Amino acid sequence: MVGITKRFPGVLANDHVDLELHQGEVLALLGENGAGKSTLMNVLSGLYRADEGAIYVRGERVVIRSPRDAYELGIGMVHQNFMLVETMTVAENVVLGLRGLSFRLDLGHVKRRLRELGAQYGLKVDPDAYVWQLSVGEQQRVEILKLLYRDVDVLILDEPTAVLTPQEVDDLVEVLRRVITEGKAAVFITHKLREVMKFADRVTVLRDGKNVATRLTRETSPDELARLMVGREVLFRVEKTACEPGDAVLEVESLRALDDKGLPALRAVSLTVHAGEIVGIAGVAGNGQRELAEVITGLREATGGEVYVSGERITNCPPLRAIEVGVGHVPEDRIEMGLVGDMSVAENLALKAYRNSDFSRGPVLYPEGMRRFAEDLINGFAIITPGPETQVKFLSGGNLQKTILARELTACGGLLVAVHPTRGLDVGATETVRKQLVEERDRGTAVLLISEDLDELLEIADRIAVIFEGEIVGTTVADDASLGEIGLMMAGERTESEGMAT
Ligand SMILES: Nc1ncnc2c1ncn2[C@@H]1O[C@H](COP(=O)(O)OP(=O)(O)O)[C@@H](O)[C@H]1O
Ligand SMILES: [Mg+2]
């Protein structure tokens, strides 16, 4: 790809990007959220047309107008959101959209070929299974098989590990290794440094739509890649002392709840978080994490079980009651639930501290006190904003998250429920948020940290509970040694230490 430029209204998503992919390699395309990775690969796979630039395949200039054009050139992509038809079988999905097929298509032949490909590349899937019966990891295998069935030479995978357990990630590495020994090549999009080091032969780093560097993986390091990705030095490990847990702050007993579709989302979840402790909830998305946070913070009804905070029963109490007993909440959805876009940074920061006598006595507000309160938090949490009067809707994602965190941490009186607190944040903001969580723990707050990012949990949690299909299938101390164990539990395997020890 030479000089690829792609604009969206108001956004320069790709800015004269050059990118080379060689036969027999896995190329990582690394960059923070919004760096332009998906856009660039959507251009290559025919979903978008570039505004400028050219694409060459084996030295020939080509024009790719559609995904079908891309297939014909041997290029195929697995998108972040899979594009499978749930009510059809694996084999039917694989042949869907192939040119020149009739209804009398020989599915028997397709299935045989899929079994062969599955064996060849280590992609086991039953061709007769319906897609709705498959786990997310299996659906990803179907997407890959679909490309291999079309005999593509270039496989593009957009953030493929986001939905996988650690073991599935290892399996995927194996698959890609086998694929490239066949003279094919793969592009692996990610924002995780660890994965680049593990998966890729070379890495191209995008920042703000530009190609800022390309390196051989063996000649670079996570530190250098982080610097390239973010544009400055970054700290990696949050300094953390051993945990000294105090009394139980959050006690959840046999909690049950339904999801938005009315199906069981929590099935008798029990866990305890002590003062001065961070308990992480690990699990593949959609296993009850969201519902757990919502029930604890009073946003969703419990259909059974109890929630106590500092000894007070708050089961099915309104959210205000949770705030009164000292529950802070960093919600998953920052703008809709966490902040009021049209209000200023200062007002948002003060939302829960309205009883603070520095700026309010009864109905009387003292703007000077509120401004000072806001300025302290803006400095303390390194919130980048033109000033306390700026409306929060003009802040970037990382600064929105820091604003919520600042408010919730100062308002919370014992328990903080943080849901994906660093999702979508750049490396710098992630570092700040993680440090703040650990500092809060050290001040004696009990922190329940729900995260899909295992590295994050291993880095800052003291204990990790794994949730699978609405149940806590095990808990373990958070150290690197427990990674394998956690992975097995994320896939639903139970361990001896089942339930949450108190
Ligand atoms: N279809 C689209 N319409 C408008 N803007 C888009 C579209 N797709 C991506 N963008 C913007 O282009 C930029 C790059 O996005 P993307 O390629 O998705 O980044 P990445 O995959 O690296 O996270 C972002 O600012 C994003 O908001
Ligand atoms: Mg993307």
Side-chain angles (χ1 to χ4, degrees):
M1 303 179 85
V2 180
I4 299 291
T5 292
K6 175 71 187 172
R7 293 182 195 89
F8 294 110
V11 182
L12 184 54
N14 291 150
D15 185 1
H16 298 92
V17 179
D18 296 342
L19 180 119
E20 269 184 22
L21 180 65
H22 304 164
Q23 201 173 3
E25 75 171 353
V26 176
L27 175 76
L29 188 56
L30 175 72
E32 297 193 325
N33 272 312
K37 309 178 294 292
S38 298
T39 301
L40 187 67
M41 288 301 113
N42 282 331
V43 166
L44 184 57
S45 65
L47 215 57
Y48 295 159
R49 294 248 357 226
D51 299 312
E52 290 170 39
I55 301 176
Y56 297 83
V57 175
R58 300 183 200 284
E60 299 266 333
R61 178 149 185 187
V62 297
V63 177
I64 303 176
R65 286 194 190 81
S66 65
R68 176 161 283 159
D69 285 354
Y71 279 142
E72 279 169 11
L73 291 163
I75 300 167
M77 176 159 170
V78 177
H79 293 272
Q80 256 171 308
N81 306 318
F82 301 154
M83 297 179 172
L84 299 171
V85 183
E86 297 227 322
T87 53
M88 289 171 49
T89 66
V90 168
E92 287 164 348
N93 266 281
V94 165
V95 293
L96 194 69
L98 277 182
R99 207 194 283 262
L101 284 177
S102 71
F103 278 110
R104 283 181 288 112
L105 163 79
D106 182 4
L107 266 184
H109 174 77
V110 176
K111 290 187 227 168
R112 260 195 312 283
R113 181 79 188 117
L114 284 179
R115 288 203 187 85
E116 274 169 31
L117 287 168
Q120 185 180 353
Y121 294 106
L123 283 160
K124 263 163 274 140
V125 196
D126 173 9
D128 287 316
Y130 284 90
V131 167
W132 59 264
Q133 296 173 310
L134 304 181
S135 72
V136 186
E138 288 168 319
Q139 291 184 25
Q140 184 178 68
R141 277 179 243 156
V142 177
E143 291 277 15
I144 296 173
L145 276 172
K146 200 168 152 179
L147 299 186
L148 293 171
Y149 187 90
R150 283 160 175 70
D151 204 19
V152 304
D153 296 321
V154 174
L155 274 101
I156 306 165
L157 305 177
D158 196 349
E159 308 223 7
T161 61
V163 296
L164 302 181
T165 66
Q167 279 82 2
E168 288 174 320
V169 172
D170 289 342
D171 293 343
L172 181 62
V173 179
E174 281 303 305
V175 171
L176 288 186
R177 286 283 140 214
R178 290 195 201 183
V179 165
I180 61 169
T181 54
E182 303 279 308
K184 300 178 191 288
V187 180
F188 178 86
I189 300 181
T190 184
H191 60 265
K192 297 184 181 166
L193 303 167
R194 188 196 267 226
E195 294 185 344
V196 173
M197 303 312 289
K198 183 168 176 170
F199 273 79
D201 302 301
R202 280 194 316 142
V203 48
T204 287
V205 185
L206 290 189
R207 186 170 79 230
D208 294 335
K210 297 189 189 66
N211 175 343
V212 290
T214 295
R215 296 276 186 274
L216 288 172
T217 309
R218 62 171 194 281
E219 289 176 2
T220 184
S221 64
D223 292 83
E224 185 192 27
L225 292 176
R227 212 178 320 122
L228 290 167
M229 185 163 93
V230 184
R232 62 168 182 80
E233 290 295 330
V234 260
L235 270 179
F236 268 111
R237 287 253 153 205
V238 172
E239 297 292 320
K240 182 165 158 264
T241 53
C243 150
E244 289 170 25
D247 293 340
V249 175
L250 173 68
E251 291 164 283
V252 170
E253 290 172 5
S254 304
L255 199 61
R256 295 178 184 278
L258 303 177
D259 65 15
D260 292 340
K261 292 183 197 146
L263 301 170
L266 298 177
R267 308 161 195 255
V269 167
S270 296
L271 63 87
T272 303
V273 186
H274 300 86
E277 180 186 44
I278 300 179
V279 172
I281 301 288
V284 175
N287 276 285
Q289 294 94 320
R290 166 196 288 259
E291 290 82 3
L292 178 62
E294 288 177 350
V295 173
I296 294 170
T297 53
L299 295 168
R300 181 179 294 266
E301 188 194 351
T303 54
E306 300 290 354
V307 179
Y308 296 91
V309 172
S310 307
E312 299 264 350
R313 178 177 175 277
I314 59 160
T315 325
N316 290 334
C317 286
L320 203 55
R321 179 80 190 116
I323 295 170
E324 280 168 4
V325 300
V327 181
H329 182 203
V330 177
E332 190 170 4
D333 193 336
R334 292 151 204 171
I335 275 291
E336 271 175 31
M337 275 169 58
L339 296 167
V340 185
D342 288 332
M343 277 167 48
S344 71
V345 174
E347 286 165 328
N348 271 282
L349 285 170
L351 271 182
K352 281 192 178 169
Y354 51 88
R355 288 191 214 80
N356 184 324
S357 60
D358 285 346
F359 52 85
S360 77
R361 284 186 199 106
V364 189
L365 286 174
Y366 297 89
E368 231 352 88
M370 186 158 115
R371 190 185 164 91
R372 266 199 311 277
F373 172 79
E375 279 170 351
D376 284 349
L377 290 179
I378 289 170
N379 292 331
F381 285 79
I383 299 168
I384 296 166
T385 169
E389 319 306 337
T390 305
Q391 293 183 344
V392 297
K393 65 180 174 204
F394 296 120
L395 301 193
S396 73
N399 289 299
L400 291 174
Q401 189 70 332
K402 285 189 249 174
T403 305
I404 296 185
L405 203 71
R407 181 187 72 207
E408 296 297 320
L409 288 177
T410 43
C412 98
L415 174 67
L416 181 71
V417 179
V419 187
H420 308 308
T422 61
R423 179 150 80 190
L425 298 194
D426 61 38
V427 178
T430 297
E431 184 186 312
T432 314
V433 167
R434 290 183 185 164
K435 260 197 239 161
Q436 298 286 356
L437 290 173
V438 171
E439 280 172 22
E440 199 52 33
R441 176 202 80 156
D442 292 342
R443 277 193 284 273
T445 299
V447 180
L448 183 68
L449 170 63
I450 297 181
S451 177
E452 284 161 1
D453 186 339
L454 265 186
D455 290 339
E456 170 163 286
L457 292 173
L458 291 171
E459 186 173 327
I460 67 172
D462 301 302
R463 284 191 295 148
I464 296 178
V466 181
I467 193 164
F468 177 74
E469 294 186 346
E471 291 180 76
I472 302 289
V473 289
T475 60
T476 173
V477 290
D479 57 36
D480 286 328
S482 43
L483 187 63
E485 193 190 344
I486 293 169
L488 287 174
M489 291 193 279
M490 281 169 66
E493 205 134 310
R494 279 165 189 284
T495 63
E496 294 304 311
S497 59
E498 191 181 315
M500 195 75 172
T502 51

